[in-house]
Amino acid sequence: MTRKILVTGTAGFIGFHIAKYLISRGDEVVGLDNINDYYDINLKFARIKETGINKENVEWNKIAQSTKYPNYKFIRLNLEDREDIMQLFRKEKFDKVVHLAAQAGVRYSIDNPFAYINSNLVGFVNINEACRHNNIKHFVFASSSSVYGNNTKMPLSTSDNVDHPISLYAATKKSNELIAYTYSHLYNLATTGLRFFTVYGPWARPDMALSLFTKAILNNKPINVFNHGNMFRDFTYIDDIVEGVIRVLDNPPKNNNISASSKSHTAKYKIYNIGNSSPVKLIDFIKEIEKALHKKAKINMMEMQAGDVEKTYADITELINDFDYKPNTSIEFGIKKFVEWYKSFYFVK
């Protein structure tokens, strides 16, 4: 059965891949993004061009039809434009929503707090309001492993305390989970939140470690390695992320009893970790990049940065149990595929 799905953030890394998958399996998809300049907009326009949306056809608050896929359209909108968001929902009559658009970046949030308030809080409420007024059957949204803050118990579990975020970005993602639970509880909105763990792969953001390291090594520039390389990340390849998101999207949660302060609450609401559940040391990650590039890195060892955490490691037991989720892409394969894309995209010999 064909479904009509809104995917926000489709000029972004994960949203682009999710939209492509849904389009390829025959769903009717509308992509939404504001194409802001947090990083190079040429990469964002290149992503949407892959889905048949040409730059010259992109206008604010205007639907653009894909030239490649009859079942795909795109609209440029800000999440904080409440009336325009509402109008889009009323017009398009979506069945489900995958909400991935947000102001990203931990370090950027330290200097640019209002970008996060507008997009991640005001915009998030606008999307929830539109969902509750338009009979959305499943609302799936992106949370983040950053909500765990400096938790030291590993692996990180959704039952762990997340009351101590160490960046504004993390605080907005924790707020999203609370807001989404409230909407689910009050308005019977089936809702699933996904705490993403360090996603990488082709078309990745240029401000992420893999892109920064690859660019620097190719250009014989030194790379900054924080905490003297004693960082562990649960690097998760994009194809494994897409598989997990789609399995979740296709299976809205039933009523869950959530224990809080000894009272039982019922809501169609669930939070999952989505990661590889196999943390890799940053230095080993860099070695794989060197191997794929056939080139050694020049390394500057640095102290830990504000807002960063030493280790991420996802407990994905619930995702495995509920959806038979099996991330199986090796770091070696994933980095090789990224480097192939990077060289092709940036015309590196």
Side-chain angles (χ1 to χ4, degrees):
M1 183 182 78
T2 302
R3 289 139 297 207
K4 191 166 192 179
I5 301 170
L6 171 67
V7 182
T8 71
T10 48
F13 173 38
I14 300 175
F16 159 70
H17 284 280
I18 297 293
K20 275 191 72 177
Y21 184 94
L22 292 171
I23 294 163
S24 68
R25 80 170 188 181
D27 290 317
E28 194 176 346
V29 181
V30 175
L32 180 153
D33 206 291
N34 70 350
I35 317 179
N36 69 22
D37 60 359
Y38 168 62
Y39 60 81
D40 183 12
I41 63 169
N42 292 314
L43 175 57
K44 297 183 177 186
F45 277 114
R47 290 192 191 114
I48 63 173
K49 188 177 181 181
E50 285 288 303
T51 56
I53 304 295
N54 297 316
K55 184 177 180 178
E56 57 270 22
N57 295 329
V58 174
E59 297 180 53
W60 284 101
N61 201 19
K62 295 281 177 64
I63 291 277
Q65 175 63 52
S66 169
T67 58
K68 284 186 181 178
Y69 307 105
N71 57 328
Y72 184 60
K73 297 183 289 188
F74 175 84
I75 186 166
R76 187 176 190 181
L77 269 185
N78 281 316
L79 296 174
E80 54 266 40
D81 293 341
R82 182 173 63 196
E83 282 306 313
D84 292 337
I85 292 289
M86 280 295 205
Q87 187 177 19
L88 177 69
F89 272 72
R90 284 194 293 264
K91 180 184 175 186
E92 296 295 334
K93 296 179 170 52
F94 303 113
D95 297 302
K96 297 180 179 181
V97 174
V98 184
H99 180 49
L100 301 167
Q103 180 57 60
V106 169
R107 292 165 194 151
Y108 187 74
S109 69
I110 294 170
D111 298 319
N112 301 276
F114 289 104
Y116 293 78
I117 301 304
N118 292 336
S119 180
N120 300 9
L121 295 182
V122 176
F124 190 78
V125 171
N126 288 344
I127 294 290
N128 272 271
E129 273 289 287
C131 285
R132 79 139 166 143
H133 286 294
N134 290 276
N135 195 31
I136 299 301
K137 296 175 180 66
H138 193 192
F139 173 53
V140 176
F141 71 95
S143 185
S144 166
S145 61
S146 67
V147 301
Y148 290 109
N150 275 329
N151 278 8
T152 56
K153 183 187 77 64
M154 296 290 160
L156 296 163
S157 167
T158 54
S159 62
D160 292 342
N161 184 289
V162 289
D163 291 340
H164 303 96
I166 60 170
S167 69
L168 183 64
Y169 171 72
T172 63
K173 288 300 185 178
K174 166 64 176 171
S175 300
N176 287 171
E177 294 180 3
L178 293 170
I179 291 164
Y181 171 75
T182 306
Y183 269 80
S184 179
H185 174 69
L186 289 175
Y187 307 116
N188 202 34
L189 175 63
T191 302
T192 305
L194 295 169
R195 293 175 178 169
F196 290 102
F197 281 71
T198 319
V199 188
Y200 76 101
W203 296 96
R205 282 172 21 208
D207 62 315
M208 298 181 78
L210 179 53
S211 298
L212 293 171
F213 292 167
T214 299
K215 181 179 180 180
I217 294 168
L218 283 169
N219 288 288
N220 300 308
K221 299 284 178 63
I223 60 176
N224 294 329
V225 178
F226 295 102
N227 203 36
H228 301 276
N230 295 314
M231 308 270 277
F232 289 82
R233 289 292 179 267
D234 202 354
F235 292 105
T236 314
Y237 190 62
I238 186 62
D239 289 1
D240 291 330
I241 287 288
V242 170
E243 181 192 338
V245 172
I246 299 303
R247 290 187 184 203
V248 167
L249 177 66
D250 290 344
N251 295 278
K254 308 293 190 284
N255 282 337
N256 289 309
N257 288 322
I258 300 172
S259 179
S261 303
S262 75
K263 294 180 181 178
S264 184
H265 298 269
T266 302
K268 294 177 183 174
Y269 175 88
K270 189 73 177 171
I271 290 284
Y272 292 99
N273 285 335
I274 182 165
N276 198 42
S277 200
S278 182
V280 174
K281 196 170 186 178
L282 190 53
I283 287 296
D284 294 332
F285 188 69
I286 293 166
K287 286 176 182 174
E288 288 297 339
I289 302 172
E290 291 175 328
K291 193 189 301 181
L293 291 173
H294 306 291
K295 197 169 185 180
K296 293 292 286 182
K298 299 175 181 177
I299 296 175
N300 289 334
M301 290 298 185
M302 311 284 284
E303 298 298 322
M304 184 76 113
Q305 276 211 325
D308 244 343
V309 296
E310 188 174 322
K311 187 174 185 177
T312 63
Y313 176 9
D315 180 345
I316 58 171
T317 305
E318 288 184 293
L319 207 58
I320 293 168
N321 290 343
D322 291 355
F323 303 105
D324 196 28
Y325 175 66
K326 293 173 183 171
N328 55 19
T329 306
S330 69
I331 281 287
E332 183 178 16
F333 176 85
I335 288 177
K336 180 173 174 287
K337 297 304 287 185
F338 169 81
V339 166
E340 286 173 1
W341 167 79
Y342 187 95
K343 287 183 169 182
S344 170
F345 185 77
Y346 292 104
F347 308 107
V348 177
K349 294 274 198 242

